[in-house]
């Protein structure tokens, strides 16, 4: 098991990395606020060190996030909170943090639907849509179909 790391130190390192990656000052400020909520929560329990358990408790008690995967498209701030949590987890383990954490739901077992979604993505690419736009459309169709 790795050495316990002070949560405040992890946060400083992470904010520095965000700045080095070219994140806007507004984005860093938003993360800074979320990180400080985590830090305050942890300190209120008398724990200055990073703890998955305590941060998960904070997600549940402070933000009302019990399932980190199933967040609606309208819950942008909660997604940012989960991303901040996941970045801290990665940083605590010495892993580089990923560009995105909340991926699309898994493809359905219905092969015809999967082929249609893939063909639609190829069509969007052919007509010049950006990879981000294509990803957005495909995520929507995968999630929509999985609810149907």
């Amino acid at each position: 098991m790795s050495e316990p790391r002070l949560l405040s130190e992890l946060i400083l390192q992470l904010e520095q990395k965000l700045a080095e990656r070219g994140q806007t000052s507004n984005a860093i400020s938003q993360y800074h606020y979320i990180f400080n909520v985590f830090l305050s929560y942890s300190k209120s329990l008398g724990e200055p060190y990073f703890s998955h358990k305590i941060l998960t408790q904070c997600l549940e008690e402070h933000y009302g996030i019990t399932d980190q995967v199933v967040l609606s498209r309208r819950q942008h701030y909660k997604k940012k909170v989960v991303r901040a949590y996941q970045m801290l987890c990665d940083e605590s383990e010495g892993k580089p943090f990923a560009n995105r954490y909340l991926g699309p739901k898994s493809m359905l077992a219905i092969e015809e639907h999967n082929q249609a979604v893939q063909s639609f993505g190829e069509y969007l690419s052919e007509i010049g849509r950006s990879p981000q736009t294509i990803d957005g459309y495909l995520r929507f169709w995968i999630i929509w179909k999985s609810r149907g």
Side-chain angles (χ1 to χ4, degrees), residues 4 14 19 23 30 32 50 61 72 87 91 108 111 133 143:
L14 205 44
Q23 290 284 318
Q30 289 175 6
H32 180 77
F50 172 84
E61 292 177 14
S72 78
M87 286 190 296
E91 186 68 19
L108 299 173
E111 189 57 36
T133 299
I143 292 169

Side-chain angles (χ1 to χ4, degrees), residues 104-108 113-114 117-118 135-148:
K105 294 194 178 190
S106 61
M107 292 294 276
L108 299 173
H113 177 260
N114 293 342
V117 169
Q118 185 176 358
D135 183 57
Y137 278 115
L138 297 184
R139 285 172 188 257
F140 171 78
W141 284 109
I142 292 167
I143 292 169
W144 176 81
K145 185 63 176 168
S146 68
R147 291 180 182 165

Side-chain angles (χ1 to χ4, degrees), residues 94-126:
K95 297 179 187 174
F97 56 91
N99 288 332
R100 292 192 177 257
Y101 287 93
L102 298 174
K105 294 194 178 190
S106 61
M107 292 294 276
L108 299 173
I110 303 167
E111 189 57 36
E112 292 81 13
H113 177 260
N114 293 342
Q115 290 173 353
V117 169
Q118 185 176 358
S119 295
F120 181 61
E122 291 168 2
Y123 167 74
L124 291 172
S125 181
E126 289 170 11

Side-chain angles (χ1 to χ4, degrees), residues 4-130:
R5 301 197 45 203
L6 287 172
L7 184 56
S8 58
E9 288 179 7
L10 286 174
I11 289 170
L12 286 173
Q13 291 170 349
L14 205 44
E15 288 178 350
Q16 183 178 2
K17 288 180 180 181
L18 288 168
E20 289 169 1
R21 286 180 73 163
Q23 290 284 318
T24 65
S25 59
N26 183 42
I28 294 171
S29 293
Q30 289 175 6
Y31 283 120
H32 180 77
Y33 179 81
I34 296 165
F35 292 149
N36 278 336
V37 169
F38 290 151
L39 187 60
S40 295
Y41 186 89
S42 187
K43 284 183 177 179
S44 75
L45 298 175
E47 183 56 68
Y49 294 97
F50 172 84
S51 163
H52 286 278
K53 181 181 175 187
I54 289 175
L55 292 188
T56 300
Q57 259 180 254
C58 182
L59 288 176
E60 292 174 4
E61 292 177 14
H62 185 81
Y63 292 104
I65 299 171
T66 55
D67 187 343
Q68 298 173 27
V69 177
V70 183
L71 293 172
S72 78
R73 293 170 66 76
R74 294 183 184 164
Q75 294 177 306
H76 298 290
Y77 186 72
K78 285 188 176 185
K79 287 180 182 182
K80 188 169 279 258
V81 169
V82 170
R83 177 161 161 64
Y85 163 81
Q86 291 169 326
M87 286 190 296
L88 279 169
C89 290
D90 285 350
E91 186 68 19
S92 75
E93 296 170 11
K95 297 179 187 174
F97 56 91
N99 288 332
R100 292 192 177 257
Y101 287 93
L102 298 174
K105 294 194 178 190
S106 61
M107 292 294 276
L108 299 173
I110 303 167
E111 189 57 36
E112 292 81 13
H113 177 260
N114 293 342
Q115 290 173 353
V117 169
Q118 185 176 358
S119 295
F120 181 61
E122 291 168 2
Y123 167 74
L124 291 172
S125 181
E126 289 170 11
I127 63 170
R129 298 296 187 258
S130 74

